[in-house]
Amino acid sequence: MNKDLPIIIKKVFTNPDPIVWQGIWLSTLENLLKDPKMLKVWKELASMFKVKHDEGSDLQLNQYMKWELKAFVAQIVKLRIANESYKVFIKTLDEYFQKKGMNLNNVLILEIYRVIDEN
């Protein structure tokens, strides 16, 4: 795990449940957490999710962040398994965030793709 990750990211993903986080799930999570290119992405996600939470959520912030961060990783695992081109990856992840009323810059989405594609 990258030591420079936002605290909430470290908190959510420290000691992941081995029942869920194994195989491609665990390897994807580890790649996303350790690659220095993902630092900007994690910071942006944490910021985006906090803003969205502040707009109105019944969940406490920590629970909301945990929910959204794990859902994000699940989406990346799904895309990794599908093994689509970078264009499909970007389009699908962009649509995922749009459905949530959020926008993640395509440059950051491309970074995610590169991290996943390299491993």
Side-chain angles (χ1 to χ4, degrees):
M1 186 177 298
N2 187 324
K3 65 178 177 53
D4 296 322
L5 287 170
I7 293 170
I8 187 67
I9 308 296
K10 291 178 187 178
K11 186 175 178 180
V12 168
F13 294 115
T14 296
N15 299 321
D17 183 346
I19 294 172
V20 175
W21 300 99
Q22 57 181 309
I24 194 167
W25 285 80
L26 182 59
S27 65
T28 301
L29 176 63
E30 288 174 342
N31 290 337
L32 294 172
L33 292 174
K34 73 178 180 184
D35 197 303
K37 291 180 289 228
M38 283 295 298
L39 191 56
K40 280 197 276 188
V41 175
W42 286 118
K43 287 180 178 180
E44 181 62 21
L45 288 172
S47 175
M48 258 182 12
F49 294 153
K50 182 174 183 330
V51 167
K52 192 66 177 174
H53 176 269
D54 291 347
E55 291 174 359
S57 174
D58 293 335
L59 297 174
Q60 292 182 352
L61 178 59
N62 282 346
Q63 186 60 39
Y64 182 84
M65 295 291 277
K66 182 178 178 179
W67 181 272
E68 289 293 348
L69 290 166
K70 288 183 177 184
F72 163 74
V73 175
Q75 185 66 32
I76 299 305
V77 170
K78 178 181 170 186
L79 289 167
R80 185 177 181 193
I81 290 169
N83 198 24
E84 298 284 357
S85 70
Y86 76 93
K87 289 180 182 178
V88 172
F89 185 95
I90 290 172
K91 181 179 183 284
T92 305
L93 203 53
D94 187 49
E95 289 171 353
Y96 169 80
F97 282 109
Q98 284 183 15
K99 286 179 186 173
K100 293 179 166 288
M102 300 178 209
N103 182 31
L104 185 63
N105 184 304
N106 284 353
V107 172
L108 295 178
I109 294 175
L110 185 56
E111 276 304 317
I112 300 166
Y113 178 82
R114 288 181 180 142
V115 168
I116 295 304
D117 191 51
E118 290 172 359
N119 296 295

